Amino acid sequence: MTDQSRSAGRETIARHADVKQRHPFFQFIAMFAVAIAVIGVSATGVAAYAVWDTANAIGSAAVALDGDETIPPSLGAIEGGVNLLLVGTDSCEGQDLELFPRCAEDDGGERNDVTMLVNISDEPRRVTVVSIPRDMVVPIPSCSDGDGGEYSAMSAQMINVSYMYGGLPCTVSTVEELTGVDIQFAAAIRWTGVINMSDAIGGVDVCVSGDISDSHTGLTLAEGNHTLIGAEALQFLRIRHGIGDGSDLGRISNQQQFMSSMVRKLQSESVLASPGTLLNLANTAVSQVTEGQLVLSQSLTNPTLMVQIAMAVKDVEYEDIVFVQYPTYYGTGADASHVYPVTEAADVLFTALAENQALNLTGEASAGYGVEVTGEAEKATATPTPTAEATESAAEGETETPAPAETSTAEERVDLPSEITGTTAAEVTCTQPEG
C-alpha cells in the first residue's frame, strides 16, 4: 500500500476467512438472463415490451459511467462489439438471515467477489466471458467516493476491494486498466433474488464426477447428474471446499460449468419457445432493480438496448461461446494465498478479442482442477418454416440448395497460451471432488 493510500484512510483488506466465504456468482445470471428473456419474448412475438414500464423505472437508480450515451430504439441487434462488466457483490443488505446467518455479524463492507468481463464481438458474433479471480492483486486507480471526494490510487490490492472503494464505476475503471478494454456497460447485483431467478429459469443441469460435500455452503451432492434450482443452485456456485484443489480458481471453473449449461438451456426450445417462462424470467430480474438489489450503469437502463444486446448473442454457436479465466500465478511465502496476473498471456487474448478473431483453447479446462471435460454438447436446430415460394417450387418438383453456413475453421482461430484455462459451451464438463 502507498503512503498516499494510508493518508486517505484506505486500509488493506485481509483475505476472507473460510467461514465467511462470499461468492454470489449466480448474480451474473440475473443480468444475462434478463437480456436473453427480453429478446426471447420479442423473437416469439409475445408482448416483448410488457416489462417496458417497469424497466424504465430503473433509470433513476443507475450509476453513471464515463461515455454513457443514449442509444436510439431498434429491433435489430446492436451494431459493433459490446463489452459488459458483470459483478456479484457480497453485501448483506436486504438478505434473508435464515438463509445467510453470517449476515447477522456482517462488517458492512461490499466487495466484488465475482468479476466477469463479457465481450460480444461484432459480426461474426462471438461471446467470450473472462472470469477475474477475486484474490488477484492488481493496481486500483483513483476513484470517486460518491460524496465529492476521491480515494487515492493503489499499486497493489486484491481486485475484489475495488467495489468497496468506489462502487461499480471503480471496478469498471480497475478492469479497464488491467485489460485495456473499453467497457460500455456494467451491472452489479447482490444476493436477494438469486433463488427466485433460478426458479424462473426452471433449474440448470450440472454433473459431478464423485460425491461432494461442503459444510461451508451446506451443499451435498451424489455422483451423477443433477438439476439445481433455488438455494441449491446458489450453493453450487459458491462451493469451493470439496471440489478440485479447494481454491477459488477451482470454483471459477465449476461456475463455468454452470454457465455453459445455463447458456445451452437459454438457447433451447424449453426457454426461448416458452413465452410464460421468458416473461417470468424478465420480470423477476427487473424486480431486483426496483428492490435495490441490482445496480445498472445508465448505459444499460434502456429496455430496447437489452433487446439489441440479446439479439447479438442469441444465435451464437456453442464453440464460439468461450469461458476463460484471466491467467495467474500464485505468490510465495506469506503471499501464497494471492494470485498475480500473467499479462503476457492475457495480452494474446485481448488482442484477439480486439481484432474479432475466433479463439482456440490450448490450456486445461480448470486452473484449480475443478472440472473435467466429459463430452460434447449437441445444439438442437430448429426446423425452418417453408415459405410460400418454397412450397410452390417443391410442388413443381424444384428444389433449393441452401447456402452453406458460415463457420470458423481451425486455421482461422487464434491459439491462446496454455496458461489460459477454460472451456466452451460446446464442451460438457463435470465437477471433480477434492482430493
Side-chain angles (χ1 to χ4, degrees):
M1 184 191 305
T2 65
D3 292 338
Q4 186 180 21
S5 298
R6 291 190 181 94
S7 66
R10 301 176 75 172
E11 299 179 355
T12 301
I13 304 300
R15 187 171 185 265
H16 293 180
D18 287 345
V19 295
K20 291 186 177 181
Q21 66 168 312
R22 308 169 177 187
H23 215 285
F25 165 79
F26 195 76
Q27 318 303 5
F28 153 74
I29 296 174
M31 194 57 247
F32 188 83
V34 70
I36 295 295
V38 172
I39 186 54
V41 175
S42 175
T44 55
V46 181
Y49 295 94
V51 296
W52 180 272
D53 290 338
T54 303
N56 273 340
I58 68 182
S60 61
V63 173
L65 302 180
D66 291 340
D68 275 356
E69 60 181 355
T70 302
I71 295 182
S74 171
L75 292 179
I78 193 169
E79 295 182 2
V82 174
N83 292 309
L84 306 93
L85 190 72
L86 302 174
V87 170
T89 74
D90 65 0
S91 173
C92 277
E93 183 177 341
Q95 310 307 323
D96 186 340
L97 293 182
E98 291 187 6
L99 292 176
F100 305 102
R102 70 154 189 81
C103 285
E105 301 177 0
D106 182 58
D107 60 11
E110 186 169 12
R111 304 169 183 85
N112 52 301
D113 270 357
V114 172
T115 305
M116 295 189 302
L117 177 62
V118 181
N119 172 267
I120 303 170
S121 73
D122 196 1
E123 296 289 352
R125 298 291 187 179
R126 304 182 180 94
V127 178
T128 305
V129 181
V130 184
S131 293
I132 302 176
R134 66 171 190 175
D135 297 334
M136 188 165 73
V137 177
V138 300
I140 296 181
S142 176
C143 295
S144 170
D145 64 6
D147 295 318
E150 192 172 81
Y151 289 117
S152 300
M154 292 188 295
S155 61
Q157 286 285 318
M158 292 195 308
I159 197 170
N160 77 333
V161 304
S162 61
Y163 198 95
M164 182 177 180
Y165 290 139
L168 186 57
C170 190
T171 302
V172 168
S173 296
T174 301
V175 175
E176 285 183 330
E177 185 171 298
L178 171 69
T179 64
V181 171
D182 178 33
I183 298 172
Q184 302 96 0
F185 310 106
I189 191 168
R190 297 166 175 167
W191 283 337
T192 296
V194 170
I195 293 174
N196 289 339
M197 189 58 63
S198 175
D199 290 341
I201 198 176
V204 173
D205 297 331
V206 300
C207 162
V208 292
S209 61
D211 297 348
I212 60 174
S213 180
D214 176 30
S215 60
H216 298 271
T217 62
L219 179 66
T220 299
L221 291 176
E223 177 181 355
N225 299 317
H226 302 267
T227 299
L228 302 183
I229 195 166
E232 199 171 44
L234 177 60
Q235 291 172 322
F236 183 81
L237 290 163
R238 293 180 62 213
I239 192 172
R240 171 166 66 90
H241 301 280
I243 66 170
D245 62 3
S247 72
D248 184 54
L249 305 187
R251 171 162 47 192
I252 285 175
S253 56
N254 190 57
Q255 294 164 354
Q256 290 173 343
Q257 180 203 167
F258 191 98
M259 271 196 294
S260 288
S261 181
M262 181 196 69
V263 166
R264 292 192 292 268
K265 182 164 188 176
L266 287 172
Q267 286 194 357
S268 72
E269 290 296 312
S270 65
V271 173
L272 289 182
S274 173
T277 299
L278 292 167
L279 283 172
N280 185 35
L281 190 60
N283 282 316
T284 299
V286 171
S287 71
Q288 302 315 300
V289 179
T290 61
E291 294 172 9
Q293 297 300 311
L294 175 61
V295 176
L296 304 180
S297 63
Q298 288 181 349
S299 53
L300 202 57
T301 58
N302 186 334
T304 302
L305 177 60
M306 292 184 183
V307 173
Q308 291 177 302
I309 293 174
M311 283 285 284
V313 304
K314 71 183 185 71
D315 293 323
V316 176
E317 296 298 325
Y318 288 165
E319 62 267 25
D320 285 321
I321 302 176
V322 182
F323 302 95
V324 296
Q325 178 188 298
Y326 191 105
T328 61
Y329 68 93
Y330 277 102
T332 58
D335 200 32
S337 62
H338 295 148
V339 293
Y340 292 83
V342 181
T343 55
E344 184 176 354
D347 287 345
V348 177
L349 167 65
F350 293 112
T351 297
L353 294 182
E355 296 177 355
N356 194 10
Q357 295 176 302
L359 305 177
N360 182 48
L361 297 171
T362 67
E364 299 293 331
S366 171
Y369 310 103
V371 299
E372 60 180 347
V373 177
T374 58
E376 183 176 345
E378 294 184 5
K379 188 169 185 177
T381 56
T383 302
T385 301
T387 62
E389 292 81 1
T391 302
E392 182 177 348
S393 297
E396 295 175 358
E398 300 177 11
T399 60
E400 181 178 351
T401 302
E406 293 187 8
T407 59
S408 297
T409 66
E411 291 74 19
E412 296 172 331
R413 295 181 177 270
V414 172
D415 287 341
L416 295 181
S418 60
E419 295 95 327
I420 298 179
T421 61
T423 58
T424 73
E427 296 172 297
V428 177
T429 60
C430 202
T431 297
Q432 299 190 84
E434 188 173 8

